[in-house]
Amino acid sequence: MTIETVNNYKSDENAYIVFDGGEAVVIDPGSGAEVILKRADELGVSVKYALITHCHYDHIIGLKGLREKGAKLVSGRRASQNIQNPMINLSSFSLDYEIREKPSDIIMSDGEALTLCGMDIECVYTPGHTDCGVCYKIGNALFSGDTLFLRSVGRSDLPTGDAKALERSVRERLYTLDGGTEVYPGHGGKTSIGYEKRFNLFVTADGE
């Protein structure tokens, strides 16, 4: 499996092109679709699915363009609703236009696994940063969106955020994964579950 990062330097958002053959999924398309598709073409893959970890505008800027090129949108149930609301996806406050995206093509339930582009993808619900947060586990890689960062976590003071829910999601849903699981966050550098359990001061493994 190959993981290619496409970073939007303006928002420091990481979009990931993930593939194990000629077809790819894109996780959190926060760069323009043309940028993502150009890189995919350079890599020799075609984008078949766009997966989002949550609804915020900086993770879905390229979504409409990818869908217009035939990619199907995969998300949790709540995100499918929130992407339609520019107040909740924050585009009303942060962009000079509003994002009112169409509902997702495929809804994944908590703990559900799908095989997409030859890869087994598991969805883990992790509300807290938003009420629609999910992470995706593909092999030994966890795509954590804005739930878990390198030595940090996502903020919880935006619409639908909940600090206690975020803490539970990290401790009960993510810290229970194997310590060697590599974490690819929505912003910043890569980390691992084992490293975060030792050094993340925002959510400690022991609950103290």
Side-chain angles (χ1 to χ4, degrees):
M1 182 177 73
T2 299
I3 301 170
E4 178 75 11
T5 305
V6 179
N7 180 264
N8 183 336
Y9 73 92
K10 292 181 179 180
S11 60
D12 191 31
E13 192 273 347
N14 297 320
Y16 297 103
I17 302 173
V18 187
F19 58 97
D20 190 18
E23 297 181 342
V25 304
V26 172
I27 299 176
D28 283 351
S31 292
E34 67 282 356
V35 175
I36 294 171
L37 291 171
K38 180 177 183 293
R39 186 60 185 136
D41 186 61
E42 292 170 348
L43 294 167
V45 297
S46 58
V47 176
K48 297 299 184 182
Y49 298 92
L51 284 65
I52 58 172
T53 60
H54 64 293
C55 64
H56 284 161
Y57 77 95
D58 55 329
H59 293 253
I60 63 172
I61 287 175
L63 185 54
K64 181 178 180 180
L66 293 182
R67 297 179 86 178
E68 288 175 346
K69 293 296 184 179
K72 294 187 180 298
L73 172 58
V74 181
S75 77
R77 184 168 302 281
R78 181 68 69 177
S80 179
Q81 300 168 358
N82 289 351
I83 57 175
Q84 304 174 56
N85 188 327
M87 299 294 288
I88 296 178
N89 67 40
L90 304 181
S91 60
S92 287
F93 308 102
S94 305
L95 301 175
D96 57 5
Y97 62 94
E98 293 185 338
I99 295 177
R100 299 178 183 272
E101 189 57 60
K102 295 179 181 178
S104 301
D105 301 292
I106 299 172
I107 300 292
M108 292 191 74
S109 302
D110 182 31
E112 183 180 3
L114 291 178
T115 301
L116 303 175
C117 301
M119 299 174 292
D120 293 331
I121 302 174
E122 181 183 354
C123 181
V124 182
Y125 275 36
T126 53
H129 173 63
T130 65
D131 66 357
C132 65
V134 305
C135 298
Y136 298 103
K137 191 172 185 298
I138 309 177
N140 194 49
L142 179 80
F143 299 88
S144 62
D146 286 3
T147 297
L148 183 64
F149 299 137
L150 174 62
R151 285 188 151 181
S152 189
V153 295
R155 58 190 294 184
S156 56
D157 60 340
L158 296 170
T160 79
D162 184 322
K164 291 295 185 183
L166 177 61
E167 184 176 345
R168 287 194 300 271
S169 289
V170 173
R171 185 173 292 120
E172 297 175 10
R173 308 308 307 278
L174 300 186
Y175 282 178
T176 54
L177 298 174
D178 184 89
T181 303
E182 297 179 331
V183 178
Y184 292 83
H187 303 272
K190 186 176 77 168
T191 184
S192 72
I193 292 297
Y195 183 89
E196 295 309 311
K197 288 174 70 173
R198 292 181 62 194
F199 298 113
N200 193 313
L201 300 180
F202 289 87
V203 178
T204 59
D206 58 12
E208 296 181 359

mmCIF file of all heavy atoms in Angstrom, residues 106-137:
data_model
loop_
_atom_site.group_PDB
_atom_site.id
_atom_site.type_symbol
_atom_site.label_atom_id
_atom_site.label_comp_id
_atom_site.label_asym_id
_atom_site.label_seq_id
_atom_site.Cartn_x
_atom_site.Cartn_y
_atom_site.Cartn_z
ATOM 1 N N ILE A 106 -21.963 6.676 -0.047
ATOM 2 C CA ILE A 106 -21.829 5.479 0.780
ATOM 3 C C ILE A 106 -21.685 5.922 2.225
ATOM 4 O O ILE A 106 -20.824 6.750 2.562
ATOM 5 C CB ILE A 106 -20.606 4.640 0.369
ATOM 6 C CG1 ILE A 106 -20.732 4.177 -1.081
ATOM 7 C CG2 ILE A 106 -20.429 3.440 1.300
ATOM 8 C CD1 ILE A 106 -19.489 3.498 -1.617
ATOM 9 N N ILE A 107 -22.535 5.387 3.104
ATOM 10 C CA ILE A 107 -22.462 5.665 4.537
ATOM 11 C C ILE A 107 -21.844 4.458 5.238
ATOM 12 O O ILE A 107 -22.324 3.333 5.079
ATOM 13 C CB ILE A 107 -23.856 5.923 5.145
ATOM 14 C CG1 ILE A 107 -24.518 7.127 4.461
ATOM 15 C CG2 ILE A 107 -23.753 6.127 6.649
ATOM 16 C CD1 ILE A 107 -23.855 8.446 4.729
ATOM 17 N N MET A 108 -20.783 4.705 6.015
ATOM 18 C CA MET A 108 -20.169 3.630 6.790
ATOM 19 C C MET A 108 -20.594 3.735 8.253
ATOM 20 O O MET A 108 -20.591 4.821 8.832
ATOM 21 C CB MET A 108 -18.640 3.687 6.690
ATOM 22 C CG MET A 108 -18.100 3.351 5.312
ATOM 23 S SD MET A 108 -16.300 3.124 5.285
ATOM 24 C CE MET A 108 -16.145 1.504 6.086
ATOM 25 N N SER A 109 -20.942 2.616 8.825
ATOM 26 C CA SER A 109 -21.298 2.550 10.235
ATOM 27 C C SER A 109 -20.053 2.347 11.077
ATOM 28 O O SER A 109 -18.992 1.950 10.571
ATOM 29 C CB SER A 109 -22.281 1.397 10.473
ATOM 30 O OG SER A 109 -23.445 1.551 9.699
ATOM 31 N N ASP A 110 -20.166 2.609 12.348
ATOM 32 C CA ASP A 110 -19.048 2.396 13.263
ATOM 33 C C ASP A 110 -18.635 0.928 13.257
ATOM 34 O O ASP A 110 -19.459 0.030 13.419
ATOM 35 C CB ASP A 110 -19.462 2.815 14.673
ATOM 36 C CG ASP A 110 -18.334 2.666 15.673
ATOM 37 O OD1 ASP A 110 -17.163 2.826 15.286
ATOM 38 O OD2 ASP A 110 -18.629 2.387 16.856
ATOM 39 N N GLY A 111 -17.354 0.677 13.035
ATOM 40 C CA GLY A 111 -16.839 -0.686 13.018
ATOM 41 C C GLY A 111 -17.008 -1.415 11.709
ATOM 42 O O GLY A 111 -16.505 -2.529 11.544
ATOM 43 N N GLU A 112 -17.685 -0.793 10.759
ATOM 44 C CA GLU A 112 -17.898 -1.428 9.453
ATOM 45 C C GLU A 112 -16.611 -1.407 8.636
ATOM 46 O O GLU A 112 -15.816 -0.474 8.716
ATOM 47 C CB GLU A 112 -18.997 -0.698 8.690
ATOM 48 C CG GLU A 112 -19.331 -1.324 7.344
ATOM 49 C CD GLU A 112 -20.423 -0.583 6.615
ATOM 50 O OE1 GLU A 112 -20.897 0.471 7.115
ATOM 51 O OE2 GLU A 112 -20.817 -1.043 5.520
ATOM 52 N N ALA A 113 -16.417 -2.443 7.842
ATOM 53 C CA ALA A 113 -15.271 -2.512 6.940
ATOM 54 C C ALA A 113 -15.768 -2.727 5.515
ATOM 55 O O ALA A 113 -16.682 -3.518 5.280
ATOM 56 C CB ALA A 113 -14.320 -3.629 7.342
ATOM 57 N N LEU A 114 -15.175 -1.993 4.590
ATOM 58 C CA LEU A 114 -15.479 -2.141 3.174
ATOM 59 C C LEU A 114 -14.184 -2.397 2.414
ATOM 60 O O LEU A 114 -13.116 -1.935 2.822
ATOM 61 C CB LEU A 114 -16.127 -0.869 2.613
ATOM 62 C CG LEU A 114 -17.534 -0.509 3.083
ATOM 63 C CD1 LEU A 114 -17.954 0.821 2.447
ATOM 64 C CD2 LEU A 114 -18.529 -1.594 2.719
ATOM 65 N N THR A 115 -14.283 -3.107 1.325
ATOM 66 C CA THR A 115 -13.138 -3.273 0.441
ATOM 67 C C THR A 115 -13.306 -2.313 -0.727
ATOM 68 O O THR A 115 -14.229 -2.446 -1.526
ATOM 69 C CB THR A 115 -13.031 -4.717 -0.069
ATOM 70 O OG1 THR A 115 -12.894 -5.605 1.052
ATOM 71 C CG2 THR A 115 -11.819 -4.879 -0.968
ATOM 72 N N LEU A 116 -12.422 -1.319 -0.785
ATOM 73 C CA LEU A 116 -12.450 -0.306 -1.830
ATOM 74 C C LEU A 116 -11.084 -0.262 -2.501
ATOM 75 O O LEU A 116 -10.060 -0.191 -1.819
ATOM 76 C CB LEU A 116 -12.791 1.075 -1.254
ATOM 77 C CG LEU A 116 -14.106 1.201 -0.477
ATOM 78 C CD1 LEU A 116 -14.222 2.594 0.130
ATOM 79 C CD2 LEU A 116 -15.297 0.911 -1.383
ATOM 80 N N CYS A 117 -11.066 -0.300 -3.802
ATOM 81 C CA CYS A 117 -9.812 -0.252 -4.570
ATOM 82 C C CYS A 117 -8.836 -1.322 -4.086
ATOM 83 O O CYS A 117 -7.615 -1.098 -4.022
ATOM 84 C CB CYS A 117 -9.179 1.139 -4.467
ATOM 85 S SG CYS A 117 -10.226 2.474 -5.081
ATOM 86 N N GLY A 118 -9.377 -2.495 -3.730
ATOM 87 C CA GLY A 118 -8.554 -3.610 -3.301
ATOM 88 C C GLY A 118 -8.010 -3.510 -1.896
ATOM 89 O O GLY A 118 -7.185 -4.345 -1.497
ATOM 90 N N MET A 119 -8.495 -2.537 -1.106
ATOM 91 C CA MET A 119 -8.014 -2.355 0.260
ATOM 92 C C MET A 119 -9.167 -2.473 1.241
ATOM 93 O O MET A 119 -10.262 -1.958 0.989
ATOM 94 C CB MET A 119 -7.356 -0.972 0.416
ATOM 95 C CG MET A 119 -6.154 -0.754 -0.492
ATOM 96 S SD MET A 119 -5.497 0.939 -0.413
ATOM 97 C CE MET A 119 -6.835 1.869 -1.190
ATOM 98 N N ASP A 120 -8.918 -3.144 2.361
ATOM 99 C CA ASP A 120 -9.921 -3.261 3.421
ATOM 100 C C ASP A 120 -9.843 -2.017 4.288
ATOM 101 O O ASP A 120 -8.807 -1.719 4.896
ATOM 102 C CB ASP A 120 -9.670 -4.506 4.263
ATOM 103 C CG ASP A 120 -9.896 -5.786 3.471
ATOM 104 O OD1 ASP A 120 -10.723 -5.770 2.538
ATOM 105 O OD2 ASP A 120 -9.236 -6.795 3.778
ATOM 106 N N ILE A 121 -10.960 -1.285 4.372
ATOM 107 C CA ILE A 121 -11.008 -0.010 5.076
ATOM 108 C C ILE A 121 -12.035 -0.111 6.195
ATOM 109 O O ILE A 121 -13.210 -0.378 5.946
ATOM 110 C CB ILE A 121 -11.375 1.134 4.119
ATOM 111 C CG1 ILE A 121 -10.352 1.202 2.973
ATOM 112 C CG2 ILE A 121 -11.460 2.453 4.865
ATOM 113 C CD1 ILE A 121 -10.700 2.213 1.899
ATOM 114 N N GLU A 122 -11.584 0.117 7.419
ATOM 115 C CA GLU A 122 -12.465 0.057 8.593
ATOM 116 C C GLU A 122 -12.763 1.465 9.079
ATOM 117 O O GLU A 122 -11.871 2.312 9.150
ATOM 118 C CB GLU A 122 -11.826 -0.743 9.717
ATOM 119 C CG GLU A 122 -12.705 -0.847 10.956
ATOM 120 C CD GLU A 122 -12.033 -1.580 12.101
ATOM 121 O OE1 GLU A 122 -10.924 -2.116 11.901
ATOM 122 O OE2 GLU A 122 -12.615 -1.603 13.206
ATOM 123 N N CYS A 123 -14.010 1.712 9.428
ATOM 124 C CA CYS A 123 -14.450 3.018 9.922
ATOM 125 C C CYS A 123 -14.611 2.963 11.446
ATOM 126 O O CYS A 123 -15.268 2.065 11.973
ATOM 127 C CB CYS A 123 -15.777 3.393 9.270
ATOM 128 S SG CYS A 123 -16.430 4.995 9.754
ATOM 129 N N VAL A 124 -13.990 3.913 12.129
ATOM 130 C CA VAL A 124 -14.068 4.010 13.592
ATOM 131 C C VAL A 124 -14.663 5.367 13.949
ATOM 132 O O VAL A 124 -14.075 6.412 13.651
ATOM 133 C CB VAL A 124 -12.668 3.869 14.238
ATOM 134 C CG1 VAL A 124 -12.781 3.924 15.764
ATOM 135 C CG2 VAL A 124 -11.985 2.591 13.783
ATOM 136 N N TYR A 125 -15.826 5.372 14.558
ATOM 137 C CA TYR A 125 -16.465 6.635 14.927
ATOM 138 C C TYR A 125 -15.712 7.274 16.094
ATOM 139 O O TYR A 125 -15.492 6.641 17.134
ATOM 140 C CB TYR A 125 -17.918 6.400 15.324
ATOM 141 C CG TYR A 125 -18.889 6.369 14.161
ATOM 142 C CD1 TYR A 125 -18.520 5.820 12.932
ATOM 143 C CD2 TYR A 125 -20.166 6.882 14.280
ATOM 144 C CE1 TYR A 125 -19.410 5.791 11.867
ATOM 145 C CE2 TYR A 125 -21.069 6.855 13.224
ATOM 146 C CZ TYR A 125 -20.682 6.301 12.013
ATOM 147 O OH TYR A 125 -21.560 6.268 10.959
ATOM 148 N N THR A 126 -15.346 8.557 15.926
ATOM 149 C CA THR A 126 -14.584 9.272 16.959
ATOM 150 C C THR A 126 -15.111 10.696 17.101
ATOM 151 O O THR A 126 -14.427 11.668 16.767
ATOM 152 C CB THR A 126 -13.080 9.303 16.618
ATOM 153 O OG1 THR A 126 -12.910 9.814 15.282
ATOM 154 C CG2 THR A 126 -12.463 7.926 16.718
ATOM 155 N N PRO A 127 -16.334 10.866 17.587
ATOM 156 C CA PRO A 127 -16.869 12.226 17.750
ATOM 157 C C PRO A 127 -16.108 13.000 18.824
ATOM 158 O O PRO A 127 -15.453 12.422 19.689
ATOM 159 C CB PRO A 127 -18.317 11.963 18.185
ATOM 160 C CG PRO A 127 -18.276 10.618 18.847
ATOM 161 C CD PRO A 127 -17.265 9.829 18.069
ATOM 162 N N GLY A 128 -16.217 14.313 18.745
ATOM 163 C CA GLY A 128 -15.575 15.178 19.738
ATOM 164 C C GLY A 128 -15.100 16.473 19.116
ATOM 165 O O GLY A 128 -15.514 17.562 19.524
ATOM 166 N N HIS A 129 -14.225 16.389 18.126
ATOM 167 C CA HIS A 129 -13.855 17.585 17.373
ATOM 168 C C HIS A 129 -15.100 18.126 16.677
ATOM 169 O O HIS A 129 -15.343 19.337 16.645
ATOM 170 C CB HIS A 129 -12.762 17.228 16.355
ATOM 171 C CG HIS A 129 -12.411 18.337 15.416
ATOM 172 N ND1 HIS A 129 -11.876 19.535 15.841
ATOM 173 C CD2 HIS A 129 -12.521 18.436 14.066
ATOM 174 C CE1 HIS A 129 -11.666 20.316 14.799
ATOM 175 N NE2 HIS A 129 -12.062 19.672 13.707
ATOM 176 N N THR A 130 -15.870 17.228 16.117
ATOM 177 C CA THR A 130 -17.230 17.481 15.633
ATOM 178 C C THR A 130 -18.059 16.273 16.035
ATOM 179 O O THR A 130 -17.523 15.246 16.440
ATOM 180 C CB THR A 130 -17.279 17.617 14.097
ATOM 181 O OG1 THR A 130 -16.904 16.357 13.526
ATOM 182 C CG2 THR A 130 -16.333 18.702 13.592
ATOM 183 N N ASP A 131 -19.363 16.380 15.869
ATOM 184 C CA ASP A 131 -20.191 15.206 16.183
ATOM 185 C C ASP A 131 -20.168 14.186 15.052
ATOM 186 O O ASP A 131 -20.780 13.122 15.164
ATOM 187 C CB ASP A 131 -21.630 15.624 16.504
ATOM 188 C CG ASP A 131 -22.382 16.226 15.321
ATOM 189 O OD1 ASP A 131 -21.780 16.386 14.240
ATOM 190 O OD2 ASP A 131 -23.567 16.569 15.494
ATOM 191 N N CYS A 132 -19.441 14.496 13.965
ATOM 192 C CA CYS A 132 -19.426 13.588 12.820
ATOM 193 C C CYS A 132 -18.057 12.963 12.587
ATOM 194 O O CYS A 132 -17.829 12.346 11.543
ATOM 195 C CB CYS A 132 -19.876 14.325 11.556
ATOM 196 S SG CYS A 132 -18.783 15.644 10.990
ATOM 197 N N GLY A 133 -17.149 13.093 13.529
ATOM 198 C CA GLY A 133 -15.795 12.618 13.325
ATOM 199 C C GLY A 133 -15.688 11.102 13.228
ATOM 200 O O GLY A 133 -16.280 10.363 14.019
ATOM 201 N N VAL A 134 -14.915 10.650 12.252
ATOM 202 C CA VAL A 134 -14.567 9.231 12.131
ATOM 203 C C VAL A 134 -13.087 9.149 11.769
ATOM 204 O O VAL A 134 -12.489 10.112 11.286
ATOM 205 C CB VAL A 134 -15.401 8.486 11.059
ATOM 206 C CG1 VAL A 134 -16.887 8.634 11.316
ATOM 207 C CG2 VAL A 134 -15.042 8.956 9.658
ATOM 208 N N CYS A 135 -12.497 7.988 12.010
ATOM 209 C CA CYS A 135 -11.167 7.672 11.526
ATOM 210 C C CYS A 135 -11.279 6.458 10.617
ATOM 211 O O CYS A 135 -12.221 5.672 10.741
ATOM 212 C CB CYS A 135 -10.212 7.362 12.683
ATOM 213 S SG CYS A 135 -9.960 8.735 13.832
ATOM 214 N N TYR A 136 -10.311 6.306 9.726
ATOM 215 C CA TYR A 136 -10.289 5.155 8.830
ATOM 216 C C TYR A 136 -9.006 4.374 9.048
ATOM 217 O O TYR A 136 -7.916 4.947 9.043
ATOM 218 C CB TYR A 136 -10.375 5.600 7.366
ATOM 219 C CG TYR A 136 -11.651 6.319 7.038
ATOM 220 C CD1 TYR A 136 -11.679 7.708 6.916
ATOM 221 C CD2 TYR A 136 -12.845 5.624 6.855
ATOM 222 C CE1 TYR A 136 -12.853 8.386 6.625
ATOM 223 C CE2 TYR A 136 -14.024 6.294 6.569
ATOM 224 C CZ TYR A 136 -14.015 7.669 6.449
ATOM 225 O OH TYR A 136 -15.190 8.330 6.169
ATOM 226 N N LYS A 137 -9.130 3.071 9.230
ATOM 227 C CA LYS A 137 -7.977 2.201 9.424
ATOM 228 C C LYS A 137 -7.809 1.330 8.190
ATOM 229 O O LYS A 137 -8.727 0.607 7.787
ATOM 230 C CB LYS A 137 -8.149 1.340 10.669
ATOM 231 C CG LYS A 137 -6.890 0.594 11.080
ATOM 232 C CD LYS A 137 -7.060 -0.092 12.429
ATOM 233 C CE LYS A 137 -5.755 -0.723 12.881
ATOM 234 N NZ LYS A 137 -5.268 -1.774 11.966
#
